[in-house]
Amino acid sequence: MHVPDGFINAPVSAAAGVVAAGAVAVSLRGARRELDERTAPLAGLVAAFIFAVQMLNFPVAAGTSGHLLGGALAAILVGPYTGVLCVTVVLLMQGILFADGGLTALGVNVLDMGITTTVVAYALFRGLLGVLPKTRRSVTGASFVAALVSVPAAACVFTLIYWIGGTTDIPIGKVFTAMAGVHVLIGIGEAVITALTVGAVIAVRPDLVHGARGLTSSLKLRIDGELVDAPAPAPAQAAPAAARSHRRIWAAGLVTALVLAGFVSYYASSSPDGLEKVAADQGIDKKTEEHAAKDSPLADYGVKDVSDARISGGLAGVIGVAATVVVGSGVFYVVRRRRTPDAPADSTHDKESV
């Protein structure tokens, strides 16, 4: 759903940019409460993972494909404020390095793919957890539903933006019907990827899943017939094991992202994604402008002057993952360092799973 330059007129693109910049500023402040020494590195990895999985277009209908948006996944894993920042970092890398998503439309893309998906998904996720049993299965199930709904929600927001500032005269009813229909199908793929990823992380380190916090309680011991809280493990004993576990999770996630972007992406669907297909069918793309970064050595997810398509795409994917994890980790490290005493991280140290 990367909106290119030329779909939306300049005034509306500028207004979307202002709104997006304000939301990112709020997210920078909010992320200070979500990030700590464990989750800050994970946030950079989440951004890199989203970048990698977005390269894996999957078929959803005849001649149409879809890919992960990632707002729901990021919000559930690292928190809604940090989630907005994760998707924003991905969009910046894609727009600047790979000429994917217009630069003048960057505000539209952040508002649509980053803010809308994150806010809608996390609000629905928390609402579902409020009525479901407090179990890990509930977290995974709520993740599925939240991710599913977030994609057509983003499609509706694009339709609204296009209705206000579209550069072509297309009946808005046709745009809405086409966008909503195909993105419900894409949402199913988004939901499956999100639920599987959240489920995999929560199975090994539930304390690292922001959306699962509050589902843990202190280990209980039965003494004289009564349950009492067990003493917390000494930091000197608990910290090394936790640090090793954290490093293993980070390494496994990075390797997975590199393999997906560097190898599996070659087998992704080459069909246009939902927005591209709707734009071509409905005539929205009549005034599409050339990307300012079209001459980038990594434009269109290939390395310039490398003739072998498999090697070119694989190298571009690896470079993209590396650049995203470096930039994302740097951003989140700075945000965490700026956390003040009155904005403590929302963590669950020294907890044992129920």
Side-chain angles (χ1 to χ4, degrees):
M1 203 184 294
H2 294 77
V3 179
D5 295 322
F7 275 25
I8 307 299
N9 64 34
V12 174
S13 294
V18 171
V19 173
V24 168
V26 172
S27 297
L28 284 168
R29 294 182 62 85
R32 298 178 190 175
R33 300 191 297 271
E34 296 173 344
L35 295 171
D36 58 25
E37 66 278 0
R38 301 170 307 154
T39 55
L42 179 64
L45 178 62
V46 168
F49 183 79
I50 290 172
F51 174 91
V53 180
Q54 283 197 3
M55 295 182 66
L56 308 180
N57 281 48
F58 49 84
V60 295
T64 310
S65 69
H67 62 70
L68 182 80
L69 297 185
L73 177 62
I76 294 165
L77 286 180
V78 293
Y81 294 109
T82 308
V84 169
L85 299 180
C86 284
V87 180
T88 300
V89 168
V90 172
L91 293 172
L92 282 170
M93 294 296 100
Q94 292 170 332
I96 295 171
L97 296 180
F98 298 91
D100 187 11
L103 295 183
T104 62
L106 181 60
V108 173
N109 284 319
V110 171
L111 179 60
D112 192 30
M113 296 177 64
I115 300 167
T116 298
T117 57
T118 302
V119 171
V120 170
Y122 197 72
L124 181 56
F125 174 80
R126 298 309 308 183
L128 288 172
L129 286 188
V131 298
L132 292 173
K134 307 301 189 219
T135 65
R136 295 180 185 180
R137 288 186 177 181
S138 295
V139 174
T140 304
S143 299
F144 183 95
V145 176
L148 173 63
V149 174
S150 71
V151 177
C156 291
V157 169
F158 168 79
T159 304
L160 176 62
I161 294 173
Y162 178 79
W163 181 45
I164 298 171
T167 55
T168 53
D169 187 16
I170 307 297
I172 196 62
K174 290 184 177 181
V175 176
F176 172 77
T177 301
M179 286 291 293
V182 71
H183 284 92
V184 166
L185 299 178
I186 295 173
I188 297 173
E190 177 103 9
V192 171
I193 295 170
T194 300
L196 288 176
T197 305
V198 171
V201 178
I202 204 172
V204 293
R205 284 295 300 273
D207 59 305
L208 292 180
V209 179
H210 182 91
R213 294 174 180 177
L215 300 183
T216 58
S217 62
S218 300
L219 182 66
K220 300 288 186 179
L221 295 177
R222 185 176 295 278
I223 299 177
D224 296 331
E226 295 184 0
L227 290 176
V228 298
D229 290 339
Q237 298 174 341
R244 288 194 298 272
S245 177
H246 168 75
R247 286 194 293 267
R248 287 196 295 268
I249 290 288
W250 196 91
L254 181 60
V255 169
T256 301
L258 290 170
V259 170
L260 292 175
F263 177 73
V264 181
S265 62
Y266 179 77
Y267 301 97
S269 173
S270 60
S271 298
D273 66 22
L275 177 58
E276 292 172 333
K277 179 66 172 174
V278 171
D281 290 347
Q282 302 297 328
I284 296 174
D285 59 354
K286 291 179 180 178
K287 296 186 178 181
T288 303
E289 300 173 2
E290 284 191 328
H291 200 287
K294 63 182 178 62
D295 295 324
S296 165
L298 298 173
D300 297 324
Y301 297 93
V303 177
K304 189 176 182 181
D305 298 328
V306 176
S307 57
D308 187 287
R310 185 190 299 268
I311 297 175
S312 178
L315 284 175
V318 169
I319 293 170
V321 167
T324 303
V325 77
V326 169
V327 173
S329 297
V331 169
F332 298 124
Y333 174 80
V334 171
V335 172
R336 183 181 71 83
R337 292 280 293 179
R338 290 176 60 86
R339 195 177 74 224
T340 56
D342 63 324
D346 178 16
S347 60
T348 55
H349 283 292
D350 301 327
K351 297 283 187 179
E352 292 292 336
S353 177
V354 175

